[in-house]
Amino acid sequence: MVGWILKKILGSKNQREVRRMVPIVRQINELEEKFQSFSDDQLRGLTASWKEELAKLPTLEEQWKRLDEILPEAFAVVKNSARRLTERGHTFTVCDQPMKWEMVHFDVQLIGGIVLHRGKISEMATGEGKTLVATLPLYLNALTGRGAHLVTVNDYLARRDAEWMGQLYGFLGLAVGCIQHDQDPSVRRQQYACDITYGTNSEFGFDYLRDNGMATTRDQQVQRGYNYAIVDEVDSILIDEARTPLIISGPATISTHQYDKWKPLVEQLVRKQTMLCNRIASEAKDAFDAGKLEEGGLLMFKVKLGQPRNKQLLRMMEDPEKRKAIDKAELSFYQDTRKEELFALKEELFFTIDEKSQEADLSEQGRSFMNPDDPNAFVLPDLISEFTEIDLNQSLSDEEKEKQKGERQQLCDTQAERIHNISQLLRAYCLFEKDVQYVVEENKVVIVDEYTGRKMPGRRWSDGLHQAVEAKEAVQIDRETQTLATITIQNYFRLYQKLAGMTGTAETEANEFHDIYKLDVLVIPTNRPVARKDSNDRIYKTRREKYNAVINEIKECHAKTQPVLVGTVSVEASELLSRMLKREKIPHNVLNAKYHMQEAEIVARAGQAGTVTISTNMAGRGTDIKLGSGVADRGGLYVIGTERHESRRIDRQLRGRCARQGDPGASRFYVSFEDDLMRNFGAADRMTKIMERFGLEEGQELEHPWLNKSVETAQKRVEQRNYLIRKRTLDMDDVMNNQREVVYGYRNEVIDSPEPRPLIYEVIDEAVPAKVQEYLGTGKPGEDANYTGLMQWVNTTFPLGLNKERAQFETRDPEANAQFLIEKIKDAYQRKSSHEEPTAVKSLERYIILNAIDRLWQEHLYAMDALREGVYLRAYAQKDPLIEYKAEAYDMFVELMANIKNEVLHNLFRSTSNLQAFENFLATLPQFLLKEQAPSPGSPAPQHAPRPQPAMAMAGGSGDGEMKLDLAPVRRELPKVGRNEPCPCGSGKKYKNCCGRVA
């Protein structure tokens, strides 16, 4: 009570923050009046003088401090420029459409600009002019010369805003760039070099990955730093899209999928399950008719397990009594005491489906149907036990043991691939619907964004799911992809020194913004009071009744020529409503993932009298709906939501499309118990009681503020679940991010280094002592020293031609031996380099290190993917998967860095810029090196010695070809080893994949 009184007197924290900015706004307006007497050149002169002054300040902190001081003047300059463009009736073209500048900043927009400059999120209602607000902080922060980025949701909006607001920046003497999907690197570099750059989050993120993970010279890199960014539709980008990391992938080296092979059987299985569920549903109906509620409820629960969207099931859920019986059966089976009965119930089906976790699981009956001849077809062999048995079998030779191990491994791989393919096909058939989650275009499956209804060409579901959907739709099945570089949206935007955002709906996610991005949300008051009337939700038993009610409402509005905007959650729903409206002969426009070319045009017309617009989603559409003449008298734009979205923000976004700038407007949502949100997350028992209490009949509706709360509770549950998914994605990626920063930092050091030789020597100084310690230990008494193994590693890696007499390893301690080898290696490398062109040597050295980093980093990403997928199983052993992931990821990273150094050493003398130069180097070697016996493949090697890598292709220079280290003919002392036989070094691999790659 005391808090409520204090809030009334002092205002909320948000209101107090806004009040503190009012004096600054007053100061800006006073300065703007003063600047009205300036000439254009005087106004532009301020920009030039500030840029010059800020360029002299050495640190970013000093520049930020100065920006805070000049903020009122800078904002006044921008506002005055907007006034001049308006007064002169400035005309220009945006996206090939003629436009006229008619905007001057309101006071609330100045407040929004101050909030954005301070690195916070500015929540401004739709139609309050966020696009114009961004010009203020972008201009101010661009004065540092470090670049300022505006991030938006699609290429169209990036181009539109850059061309539109570019008129203002151009007037003030700033350069504006725009990143588009199909630009060449040279064009991108020019755009990033501009003072202000517009683009989409994915383009900025992918450019970061290409610059740091794929570019080999500074000229190939396009970005120039991460100073200041404003994220438009910040909730859509930093929250909705943050569940999916950005991944640059390439085709996998081999394709092993069997989707086309298993598709016919899975299709048959799905048909059999449908027939089985229909039969069980008929039995349940008979049981219900006979008054056996418990038996009917049990049977329908079985149908729910096997086919949650079964039509008979959905129809029965409309009846309160039957719904109660089904819910009671479900609750009873999920008790611990009935786990075995639940398992037995599932085994009566061919497979079970869990809609919440998006999983499908085969039962024993389903497995028998898929592979009737082999009872173990879906059982993965226990390789550890089988390998132990093989090793203990004394009757087998080493070759036979290796052969049997290889066969067992091959069988395990085949079994795993089969299980995975069938599981993904089941998910594709039972959980992924055409025109809901994806559309088919030009023989390709294109994903539809569940939040914005936009198509996302180029994006693919991971883990083979996309291929399974391609097989289901009988389109071309593309090869599996392999991750080449990856980063989450969260970690990309955390690179920026200062980050800000703007949206119409951020308040509901304020905690997440603060926890993950350290961004505070400030709600900016509207320029004029909001006149929208939000009506209570109308709740129906079935979708059919709900859609009929929606059509009736549209007919009423259309009769009085009031414009209507209908929001749906899927392409399928929008097309269904479109067909129903056609039957009623009501003209309308459809805006969904299939027609987003005409998007801006359709949205702009949505406020004209008598217009009916159906849209999949309004998040990030970015185009204002302005009311036509006379529409305000008819009540303004009427927004109808045909279903509550999983996220409350998306519903608020839809509502916010009407009643901009004080216009009249109204909104209402229609909900049915069959909606996915209500089925999966709604309080089913409470809904059943409500239906019973009110005795809902066909076509009747429920409407009450309490019911709105019930729907919002379901939405909060989903939001919480999605937040946990995003948080877990981020926790996992934080581990990867630390590793990424080290690897990309090392990579950029190599690219930027004018002299790569010290980096090569650094690798030698670090890797050689580690190798010496691996073979000789630390020199403590009692340690076994493998001098032969060390000598063989040295002679296979470097052209030193050491033997026992020349090396004399036994006479020194490990540290002295390491120093002895380092000097020898550097001396040999100096001789090799002296025969080549100095510039070519630099390129070659850079290439050797970058090639090692890139190849092994890609392998590391693949291994990390596998670890991430498998680590959740540790939870069954009562271990925290995240802690386990961190521990294993650290060990793998230490191994990665060691392998990169060993790879560099391995390729140091196997690469040349010119064959002639290399031959000259060979000619200078002492004769004993050419006659020295190279180690044979059968020589013993330590267990953990790295396998030799393939000879590298040469970089730069002339005479490109491939060169190997074998400096002279070698006589074989042991029998010849076949390519497919086990490698004699004892690694357990085939000879062709181990030592045979070099031989």
Side-chain angles (χ1 to χ4, degrees):
M1 186 67 183
V2 176
W4 181 83
I5 294 167
L6 285 171
K7 204 171 187 179
K8 280 289 177 189
I9 298 167
L10 303 173
S12 65
K13 180 177 181 291
N14 193 85
Q15 289 166 332
R16 292 197 300 275
E17 288 278 346
V18 171
R19 277 206 297 269
R20 285 192 198 108
M21 295 180 206
V22 172
I24 302 172
V25 171
R26 205 177 298 122
Q27 189 184 354
I28 293 166
N29 287 329
E30 287 166 6
L31 286 164
E32 194 269 326
E33 279 183 37
K34 176 183 145 190
F35 290 149
Q36 286 175 20
S37 62
F38 279 35
S39 69
D40 289 358
D41 289 338
Q42 282 179 299
L43 208 60
R44 291 191 194 101
L46 289 170
T47 304
S49 64
W50 284 329
K51 284 183 87 169
E52 196 178 322
E53 180 190 347
L54 287 160
K56 292 174 184 172
L57 298 175
T59 65
L60 190 60
E61 286 72 24
E62 288 177 274
Q63 287 183 334
W64 280 355
K65 189 179 175 185
R66 182 61 184 140
L67 289 181
D68 290 339
E69 291 167 5
I70 64 170
L71 181 144
E73 291 174 86
F75 279 24
V77 164
V78 178
K79 181 172 179 177
N80 186 254
S81 303
R83 188 182 300 283
R84 291 180 189 218
L85 292 176
T86 305
E87 287 170 354
R88 293 170 192 178
H90 178 65
T91 55
F92 50 98
T93 58
V94 172
C95 297
D96 306 319
Q97 298 293 318
M99 283 191 78
K100 186 179 177 184
W101 189 277
E102 296 176 311
M103 296 182 293
V104 182
H105 302 77
F106 300 130
D107 286 359
V108 289
Q109 290 176 314
L110 296 175
I111 292 172
I114 297 166
V115 170
L116 291 175
H117 168 69
R118 291 178 177 175
K120 296 180 181 179
I121 289 172
S122 167
E123 180 178 308
M124 302 181 76
T126 306
E128 290 293 305
K130 291 188 285 291
T131 309
L132 185 65
V133 171
T135 57
L136 299 160
L138 283 175
Y139 168 78
L140 180 60
N141 285 274
L143 295 173
T144 61
R146 296 173 184 264
H149 297 165
L150 188 128
V151 186
T152 186
V153 288
N154 64 49
D155 276 352
Y156 164 73
L157 289 180
R159 183 185 161 200
R160 186 203 70 178
D161 293 354
E163 292 180 8
W164 192 7
M165 297 301 120
Q167 306 300 313
L168 192 56
Y169 303 129
F171 181 83
L172 288 165
L174 293 183
V176 182
C178 177
I179 305 295
Q180 295 284 285
H181 178 65
D182 49 0
Q183 285 173 341
D184 292 330
S186 57
V187 178
R188 285 173 183 266
R189 198 176 306 108
Q190 290 168 11
Q191 306 304 313
Y192 280 114
C194 293
D195 297 305
I196 295 164
T197 307
Y198 283 74
T200 64
N201 58 309
S202 53
E203 289 304 319
F204 282 120
F206 286 135
D207 280 340
Y208 167 78
L209 291 176
R210 280 189 286 263
D211 279 3
N212 291 279
M214 302 171 93
T216 54
T217 64
R218 175 54 71 192
D219 292 340
Q220 290 175 3
Q221 295 182 324
V222 296
Q223 292 186 334
R224 64 182 182 113
Y226 309 95
N227 173 43
Y228 176 69
I230 296 176
V231 183
D232 191 10
E233 300 298 346
V234 67
D235 56 329
S236 177
I237 291 174
L238 296 191
I239 290 183
D240 298 338
E241 296 199 22
R243 281 195 286 170
T244 312
L246 297 174
I247 296 171
I248 291 182
S249 57
T253 46
I254 52 168
S255 183
T256 56
H257 77 78
Q258 303 163 356
Y259 293 108
D260 32 14
K261 176 185 172 184
W262 295 107
K263 177 194 169 182
L265 272 172
V266 170
E267 252 179 7
Q268 285 181 44
L269 187 71
V270 172
R271 274 200 299 272
K272 283 180 81 75
Q273 175 98 328
T274 305
M275 289 161 63
L276 175 65
C277 287
N278 287 340
R279 196 181 74 239
I280 296 169
S282 299
E283 291 171 12
K285 186 176 181 296
D286 295 340
F288 280 133
D289 291 345
K292 300 174 182 175
L293 288 177
E294 195 172 328
E295 186 185 329
L298 170 66
L299 290 168
M300 286 318 291
F301 171 55
K302 196 194 293 188
V303 173
K304 189 176 179 181
L305 286 172
Q307 209 175 23
R309 295 175 189 168
N310 182 281
K311 285 179 182 171
Q312 291 188 65
L313 169 66
L314 295 177
R315 213 167 293 131
M316 287 189 195
M317 293 294 269
E318 296 166 19
D319 185 310
E321 257 194 353
K322 292 173 184 172
R323 186 188 182 101
K324 193 173 182 179
I326 296 165
D327 291 342
K328 188 178 175 185
E330 183 172 0
L331 285 169
S332 69
F333 270 102
Y334 281 115
Q335 294 169 4
D336 282 353
T337 51
R338 301 194 68 182
K339 274 185 179 176
E340 288 184 12
E341 288 178 68
L342 178 61
F343 178 75
L345 192 72
K346 287 179 177 179
E347 287 301 313
E348 291 173 26
L349 299 161
F350 290 100
F351 56 86
T352 53
I353 295 169
D354 185 346
E355 272 193 304
K356 282 187 191 177
S357 60
Q358 296 264 297
E359 291 297 334
D361 187 30
L362 274 176
S363 66
E364 193 57 49
Q365 192 180 177
R367 290 192 279 270
S368 304
F369 174 81
M370 294 299 292
N371 219 321
D373 304 326
D374 183 2
N376 294 321
F378 291 88
V379 180
L380 287 176
D382 181 358
L383 287 180
I384 295 174
S385 305
E386 293 189 7
F387 281 9
T388 307
E389 282 177 28
I390 292 168
D391 286 335
L392 294 173
N393 190 340
Q394 301 296 329
S395 63
L396 298 174
S397 65
D398 289 346
E399 289 80 6
E400 287 171 328
K401 285 179 182 178
E402 289 302 326
K403 187 180 177 185
Q404 286 197 17
K405 283 181 183 178
E407 287 170 358
R408 297 285 198 286
Q409 181 70 56
Q410 185 65 40
L411 175 67
C412 181
D413 292 346
T414 309
Q415 301 273 72
E417 188 70 38
R418 179 195 297 128
I419 294 166
H420 179 68
N421 284 182
I422 291 172
S423 170
Q424 295 295 49
L425 277 168
L426 272 177
R427 288 179 70 200
Y429 272 94
C430 301
L431 294 162
F432 287 78
E433 289 184 49
K434 185 179 174 181
D435 288 341
V436 178
Q437 283 98 342
Y438 64 91
V439 292
V440 176
E441 276 185 358
E442 297 174 2
N443 205 33
K444 284 191 178 298
V445 169
V446 181
I447 300 174
V448 173
D449 188 312
E450 64 176 304
Y451 290 99
T452 62
R454 294 181 187 281
K455 288 178 291 187
M456 299 191 288
R459 286 206 187 178
R460 292 175 66 79
W461 286 304
S462 59
D463 208 22
L465 175 61
H466 206 96
Q467 291 166 295
V469 175
E470 286 170 335
K472 169 191 168 186
E473 295 296 338
V475 300
Q476 179 188 331
I477 302 175
D478 291 337
R479 285 177 68 170
E480 292 108 313
T481 54
Q482 179 180 331
T483 302
L484 303 181
T486 176
I487 190 171
T488 57
I489 295 280
Q490 291 108 317
N491 275 322
Y492 172 71
F493 282 110
R494 283 151 122 198
L495 293 169
Y496 282 90
Q497 302 287 343
K498 187 159 63 170
L499 183 66
M502 51 189 188
T503 179
T505 47
E507 209 177 3
T508 53
E509 311 289 350
N511 289 340
E512 183 169 348
F513 282 124
H514 185 267
D515 292 349
I516 292 178
Y517 302 99
K518 303 291 179 278
L519 288 171
D520 292 324
V521 176
L522 206 66
V523 181
I524 310 297
T526 54
N527 187 43
R528 293 176 186 162
V530 177
R532 185 181 70 238
K533 293 175 185 169
D534 295 331
S535 306
N536 291 327
D537 294 0
R538 283 185 175 161
I539 300 178
Y540 295 83
K541 280 205 295 186
T542 68
R543 277 186 176 158
R544 185 181 67 256
E545 295 167 56
K546 175 184 77 174
Y547 285 136
N548 287 333
V550 168
I551 297 297
N552 291 333
E553 184 92 36
I554 294 170
K555 277 166 71 177
E556 283 177 31
C557 294
H558 188 65
K560 58 183 182 183
T561 67
Q562 181 182 9
V564 182
L565 175 67
V566 186
T568 66
V569 295
S570 69
V571 179
E572 183 188 43
S574 67
E575 293 192 339
L576 170 67
L577 276 169
S578 177
R579 287 196 297 273
M580 293 173 79
L581 285 173
K582 278 175 187 167
R583 274 207 301 271
E584 297 292 336
K585 296 185 171 53
I586 296 174
H588 60 278
N589 294 314
V590 181
L591 176 60
N592 62 29
K594 290 189 168 180
Y595 312 110
H596 100 257
M597 292 297 286
Q598 311 100 307
E599 183 176 299
E601 190 187 336
I602 293 173
V603 172
R605 288 203 307 264
Q608 300 304 310
T611 307
V612 177
T613 309
I614 301 173
S615 165
T616 34
N617 201 297
M618 295 310 295
R621 295 299 190 212
T623 307
D624 278 345
I625 300 175
K626 293 178 182 172
L627 299 185
S629 60
V631 169
D633 303 332
R634 301 182 186 98
L637 180 65
Y638 187 34
V639 171
I640 295 175
T642 59
E643 194 171 326
R644 281 285 196 166
H645 199 276
E646 282 187 358
S647 168
R648 286 173 294 164
R649 281 179 301 104
I650 307 298
D651 292 345
R652 285 181 64 202
Q653 195 100 27
L654 181 61
R655 276 198 160 127
R657 302 309 296 185
C658 66
R660 60 178 291 283
Q661 288 295 326
D663 289 341
S667 71
R668 186 191 293 279
F669 277 88
Y670 286 74
V671 181
S672 85
F673 291 134
E674 290 181 358
D675 294 346
D676 290 348
L677 176 76
M678 303 307 290
R679 283 192 304 109
N680 292 330
F681 299 96
D685 51 341
R686 191 186 301 166
M687 291 295 170
T688 307
K689 284 174 189 169
I690 290 167
M691 288 163 73
E692 279 179 341
R693 192 175 301 143
F694 290 101
L696 272 186
E697 310 240 332
E698 178 79 24
Q700 277 190 314
E701 66 191 43
L702 290 173
E703 184 182 331
H704 197 279
W706 290 359
L707 293 175
N708 297 0
K709 292 283 181 195
S710 187
V711 174
E712 281 193 13
T713 304
Q715 288 176 308
K716 283 177 184 171
R717 285 194 192 118
V718 189
E719 284 170 8
Q720 184 62 25
R721 187 193 68 150
N722 289 343
Y723 169 62
L724 292 173
I725 292 171
R726 288 190 295 269
K727 190 80 174 70
R728 183 48 62 116
T729 302
L730 183 66
D731 289 342
M732 291 288 194
D733 195 64
D734 276 344
V735 178
M736 275 296 298
N737 199 46
N738 296 333
Q739 298 182 3
R740 188 188 300 112
E741 283 175 6
V742 173
V743 170
Y744 285 177
Y746 184 29
R747 215 177 169 282
N748 283 327
E749 187 186 353
V750 174
I751 290 171
D752 294 336
S753 172
E755 287 290 337
R757 181 68 58 85
L759 295 172
I760 293 280
Y761 283 173
E762 193 180 301
V763 169
I764 294 170
D765 291 338
E766 290 175 9
V768 172
K771 272 289 171 191
V772 170
Q773 188 175 334
E774 186 182 321
Y775 285 99
L776 306 185
T778 54
K780 291 176 185 172
E783 283 184 331
D784 288 334
N786 184 358
Y787 295 113
T788 313
L790 176 61
M791 194 166 325
Q792 283 169 358
W793 173 75
V794 170
N795 285 333
T796 51
T797 311
F798 313 105
L800 300 184
L802 293 180
N803 57 22
K804 194 173 181 182
E805 291 74 34
R806 292 192 190 91
Q808 297 185 350
F809 287 142
E810 294 89 342
T811 62
R812 305 182 203 90
D813 62 16
E815 198 174 321
N817 276 323
Q819 201 54 45
F820 165 76
L821 287 174
I822 288 168
E823 286 170 11
K824 287 273 187 189
I825 294 162
K826 286 182 179 176
D827 182 52
Y829 186 68
Q830 195 73 43
R831 273 208 310 279
K832 173 184 175 291
S833 304
S834 65
H835 293 277
E836 303 192 41
E837 282 288 322
T839 50
V841 169
K842 285 182 187 178
S843 300
L844 181 66
E845 288 171 345
R846 210 171 269 120
Y847 175 77
I848 288 170
I849 302 176
L850 290 178
N851 188 64
I853 293 170
D854 292 348
R855 193 181 71 76
L856 292 167
W857 176 243
Q858 285 169 23
E859 286 183 10
H860 179 71
L861 288 176
Y862 186 75
M864 290 288 281
D865 280 347
L867 174 63
R868 190 184 288 116
E869 284 168 23
V871 79
Y872 289 104
L873 298 172
R874 309 277 176 95
Y876 291 114
Q878 304 302 308
K879 292 179 180 177
D880 183 343
L882 183 62
I883 292 170
E884 293 290 301
Y885 179 75
K886 285 179 177 177
E888 293 221 14
Y890 176 75
D891 293 342
M892 287 166 68
F893 184 68
V894 170
E895 189 181 341
L896 165 74
M897 297 311 287
N899 287 344
I900 287 173
K901 289 168 189 167
N902 291 331
E903 176 94 345
V904 171
L905 291 185
H906 184 271
N907 292 325
L908 210 51
F909 291 93
R910 288 173 167 79
S911 313
T912 183
S913 61
N914 186 299
L915 274 176
Q916 184 60 49
F918 191 72
E919 285 171 8
N920 294 342
F921 163 59
L922 292 184
T924 65
L925 290 175
Q927 283 300 303
F928 69 78
L929 278 188
L930 300 178
K931 293 175 183 172
E932 194 72 46
Q933 186 98 3
S936 63
S939 307
Q943 192 64 37
H944 298 294
R947 68 176 187 272
Q949 299 294 333
M952 264 180 58
M954 292 166 297
S958 59
D960 287 328
E962 200 162 283
M963 174 271 295
K964 300 186 176 70
L965 188 61
D966 302 332
L967 304 176
V970 179
R971 286 193 180 86
R972 189 186 301 112
E973 291 181 351
L974 295 175
K976 182 176 179 179
V977 182
R979 278 170 52 72
N980 289 311
E981 291 178 24
C983 186
C985 76
S987 67
K989 299 179 183 297
K990 290 182 179 179
Y991 181 60
K992 67 180 180 184
N993 293 329
C994 191
C995 299
R997 292 173 73 180
V998 176

